């Protein structure tokens, strides 16, 4: 194993992934956990537990740790601000973890770190202007402007998931007071919600049979059935892809990026999701930005966030 | 008059304003024209005509000219790209004007120049992160990120007016293939369209009487009647202000700016427009960005674009 390893953690709304990362961005050990807990203490216990598992599996000195948090993060203090999916509001995540681990710890927004990894070494490599959407339980997002991650006045940019595309759309819920946000229409939860509707409408489809058999209808199940060719599941993924296309068309018009990278768990649907999104962008966005912007799946798939955290930890150790 | 004067031109979708500007940003002469013409040659004739009027009124050597164009502008070549309101697509505006005027000419997007003026000397002065919306015939927009104007990969950023907020909303029209764009719901044209509906619904209102008397229902008339206290006109301005609030909430969530500056002709409605917009932002945007972002009318009102063009011309002369 290379010297100077670090641990990067992607703390998602549902799952967390910790990885031992070396300076060449190779991943040596991974530890998975469910992330959700009803209190901050329980969530942080899971983070520490996963880090300790990865650390002991590596049998190596760990130089630093970084954690991507699905929250607006105060960069100066390491405190989580408005967090939609986990009970971490106003929690000093960085200092609590540093104390428990006895290691230097850095924190950042999870999607900013996914953007960092894709910009350094993935689908947005070499781009001056790029946008990343990580679609999982909700939508995280990051943007690179003139080669640097956009942070905004107080480090709270870029919440593209909370961009309204349906003024009178469904409530976004869980910490967001808005409705018709991109996240309310495009996310693992939206996929599951639309799938329930489609299953009821098409009881003979695979999706309909799964519902009748009492199987829990999750985004992952819909994606699996869509890959297997079930028309009802494909329809649901395509519908969500079309909403995603409206959101990406907005991003293309606003940022004029070279690439929009789509990652997170929902990208497991691949072209079944991105194909309809690309068609909507081609139809609705402005020229020439829509001809310029590539729409690409994340090179590192669902691991962009963890690798970006690794990059941040390497900087801290460096 | 100070030495080293320049001419700044704001070429709007309906009107154009040319001003003789000195290095302290004082405006010495103004020339107004209607901007629209069916061909590029007619539009450029009007621009040249206004510049010549301002130049001869000043009786002074003019060092340079800059023009803000309501189009995506190719900065390298000075060619207009996708232009929604004027027939300038693929027209080499910079070189044609330089040839006819015998002066150094610079061009930029009109809203980027309005942003520049407000950032240098107006409502966004000293801000690292700011967004400007100029609401006239359509919506122009500009953004400052870490103190610099956001241009995007090919200079086509920031088209916030073509951000969809109503996925199934009205067609945007005129060069934009999209529907439900912010511009389709918030602009002088949207104000006039909503006012026609309100006038028909309330025939005894001032707005209704104006319609019955055959007066043309324009955004300017609605604004005037709203300031006079006509409830129907106030309702129309408030409705448009609420749509504007949804757009500004998106901007606040995406950019986390210190200030959102609203300019252009429609800002003549003042707090009758901005009040309802602020209420929507307070209700729908995320914390803490919504507590951070001021929402301010442009310091230079409808002259931000012309002054920004003056700043650009001063740089060119510099």
């Amino acid at each position: 194993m290379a010297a100077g390893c670090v641990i990067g953690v992607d703390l998602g709304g549902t799952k967390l992934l910790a990885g031992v990362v070396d300076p060449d961005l190779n991943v040596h050990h991974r530890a998975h956990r469910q992330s959700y807990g009803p209190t901050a203490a329980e969530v942080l216990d899971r983070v520490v537990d996963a880090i300790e598992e990865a650390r002991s599996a590596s049998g190596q000195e760990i130089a630093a740790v970084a954690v991507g948090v699905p929250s607006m993060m105060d960069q100066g203090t390491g405190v989580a601000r408005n967090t939609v999916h986990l009970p971490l509001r106003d929690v000093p995540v960085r200092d609590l973890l540093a104390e428990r681990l006895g290691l230097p710890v850095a924190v950042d927004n999870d999607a900013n770190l996914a953007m960092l990894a894709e910009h350094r070494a993935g689908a947005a490599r070499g781009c001056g202007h790029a946008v990343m959407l990580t679609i999982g339980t909700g939508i995280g997002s990051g943007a690179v402007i003139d080669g640097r991650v956009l942070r905004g006045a107080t480090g709270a940019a870029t919440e593209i998931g909370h961009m309204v595309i349906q003024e009178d759309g469904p409530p976004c819920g869980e910490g967001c007071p808005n409705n018709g946000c991109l996240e309310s229409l495009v996310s693992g939860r939206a996929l599951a919600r639309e799938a329930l509707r489609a299953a009821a409408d098409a009881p003979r489809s695979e999706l309909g049979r799964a519902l009748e058999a009492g199987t829990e209808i999750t985004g992952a199940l819909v994606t699996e059935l869509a890959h297997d060719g079930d028309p009802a599941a494909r329809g649901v993924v395509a519908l969500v892809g079309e909403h995603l296309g409206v959101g990406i068309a907005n991003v293309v018009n606003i940022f004029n990026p070279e690439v929009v990278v789509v990652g997170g768990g929902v990208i497991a649907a691949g072209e079944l999701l991105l194909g309809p999104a690309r068609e909507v962008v081609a139809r609705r966005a402005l020229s020439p930005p829509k001809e310029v912007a590539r729409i690409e799946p994340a090179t590192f798939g669902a691991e962009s966030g963890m690798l970006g955290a690794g990059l941040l930890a390497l900087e801290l150790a460096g």
Side-chain angles (χ1 to χ4, degrees), chain A:
Chain A
M1 178 181 295
C5 281
V6 298
I7 292 177
V9 180
D10 184 18
L11 178 57
T14 308
K15 289 181 282 190
L16 80 83
L17 169 62
V20 178
V21 178
D22 73 26
D24 296 324
L25 272 193
N26 299 306
V27 182
H28 295 270
H29 297 275
R30 291 173 175 82
H32 297 269
R33 292 286 184 285
Q34 296 297 309
S35 57
Y36 183 76
T39 66
E42 284 174 73
V43 173
L44 293 182
D45 280 350
R46 286 159 191 234
V47 173
V48 169
D49 198 48
I51 291 170
E52 294 296 3
E53 177 188 325
R55 172 150 72 167
S56 78
S58 81
Q60 180 103 8
E61 191 90 15
I62 295 297
V65 169
V67 183
V69 184
S71 166
M72 297 176 182
M73 296 303 294
D74 187 315
Q75 289 293 301
T77 61
V79 174
R81 293 303 179 195
N82 190 350
T83 173
V84 172
H85 300 290
L86 291 173
L88 295 176
R89 182 190 284 241
D90 297 330
V91 173
V93 175
R94 184 189 66 197
D95 292 352
L96 288 176
L97 288 176
E99 195 176 311
R100 289 185 58 176
L101 295 166
L103 286 170
V105 174
V107 293
D108 198 348
N109 173 270
D110 57 345
N112 283 352
L113 291 178
M115 176 85 267
L116 182 68
E118 294 292 331
H119 184 244
R120 284 286 175 81
R125 188 169 183 165
C127 292
H129 295 266
V131 174
M132 169 117 207
L133 301 175
T134 60
I135 313 177
T137 312
I139 293 187
S141 60
V144 163
I145 307 288
D146 290 323
R148 294 171 54 198
V149 173
L150 168 60
R151 299 206 166 272
T154 60
T158 321
E159 290 290 344
I160 294 169
H162 299 285
M163 168 180 75
V164 169
I165 64 166
Q166 257 189 18
E167 215 175 18
D168 302 313
C172 192
E174 288 194 56
C176 172
N178 216 335
N179 51 288
C181 295
L182 188 62
E183 173 168 313
S184 72
L185 299 160
V186 180
S187 62
R189 287 181 301 161
L191 211 50
R193 187 185 64 221
E194 291 300 331
L196 275 175
R197 198 175 304 175
D201 287 353
R204 290 180 172 192
S205 66
E206 291 299 320
L207 204 53
R209 284 186 211 144
L211 180 66
E212 207 188 314
T215 312
E216 193 194 355
I217 306 293
T218 62
L221 176 71
V222 182
T223 301
E224 190 189 318
L225 294 178
H227 278 304
D228 289 348
D230 181 49
R234 289 203 165 187
V236 169
V237 173
L239 176 69
V240 169
E242 286 167 19
H243 291 307
L244 174 61
V246 172
I248 294 178
N250 282 0
V251 161
V252 165
N253 287 349
I254 293 170
F255 286 100
N256 181 206
E258 288 148 83
V259 64
V260 179
V261 183
V262 183
V266 172
I267 196 57
E271 284 306 306
L272 297 176
L273 183 81
L274 289 189
R278 285 198 186 97
E279 279 170 35
V280 169
V281 173
R283 202 165 67 235
R284 298 183 70 148
L286 292 168
S287 292
K290 71 181 172 192
E291 284 83 23
V292 171
R294 291 177 289 122
I295 298 167
E296 303 263 358
T299 298
F300 303 115
E303 297 207 332
S304 309
M306 181 269 286
L307 284 167
L311 281 164
L312 181 62
L314 286 165
E315 279 176 20
L316 185 64

